[in-house]
Amino acid sequence: MKASGNRLTREQARELLVKLDAAMAGSSGRSSREALVKFLNSSVPTYSWVGVYLVEGKDLVLDAWAGPAATEHTRIPIGKGVCGFAAKAGRTEIVSDVSKDPRYLQCFLSTKSEIVVPISNQGSVIGEIDVDGDQLDAFSSLDREFLEAVARKASNVWS
Ligand code: SME
């Protein structure tokens, strides 16, 4: 099943960006990342699992997540998987069908599509937001714009 019916709309994205500040207000460090992933996972129906990875040396380390289950991929070498690729390239990756992408590292059998958005500070990638979708083609260029705006806010708070 495709996700086009319940994908994020431009109006929702605008509202969520306003609400995000309130969701993260008053917290810092990991608790603000916990607040962010919970907020995204509970606000957008297509965001089935949401995680924040932080760069630690040559790896990405899972710092906060929200969704139905934990992932075994809590440490991913930069360059490996869709996550590692996005961190190395410093740009957003959208995979509309994970079964067709040889880079994909499987976490959940239910995942059909994925978007990974780097969080950068002064030109360096410091982390990323990883969202798994249970439907094919769950993420559009609007999700990219929205999550890139979220990543800019996150970078201001965390770096
Ligand atoms: N699928 C990711 C690994 C992380 S899990 O989705 C939580 C990847 O290919 O890098």
Side-chain angles (χ1 to χ4, degrees), residues 77-118:
I78 292 174
K80 289 265 154 61
V82 181
C83 285
F85 188 93
K88 191 168 182 183
R91 61 156 208 263
T92 298
E93 281 297 309
I94 295 179
V95 180
S96 56
D97 182 350
V98 295
S99 73
K100 299 207 166 83
D101 194 317
R103 299 169 303 176
Y104 176 66
L105 298 172
Q106 187 180 72
C107 292
F108 316 110
L109 284 173
S110 53
T111 299
K112 300 280 194 302
S113 55
E114 182 166 18
I115 182 169
V116 183
V117 179

Side-chain angles (χ1 to χ4, degrees), residues 23 43 70:
S43 308

Side-chain angles (χ1 to χ4, degrees), residues 15-80:
E15 279 171 18
L16 289 175
L17 282 174
V18 174
K19 288 187 185 159
L20 177 64
D21 291 326
M24 292 207 296
S27 58
S28 60
R30 176 174 281 167
S31 60
S32 71
R33 294 187 276 278
E34 301 274 6
L36 174 70
V37 294
K38 275 193 198 119
F39 175 76
L40 292 174
N41 178 240
S42 61
S43 308
V44 189
T46 44
Y47 293 8
S48 307
W49 187 94
V50 182
V52 165
Y53 286 85
L54 296 181
V55 171
E56 208 180 281
K58 294 188 158 91
D59 294 333
L60 290 159
V61 178
L62 185 62
D63 184 75
W65 62 273
T71 174
E72 66 185 86
H73 295 293
T74 54
R75 182 177 282 270
I76 301 172
I78 292 174
K80 289 265 154 61

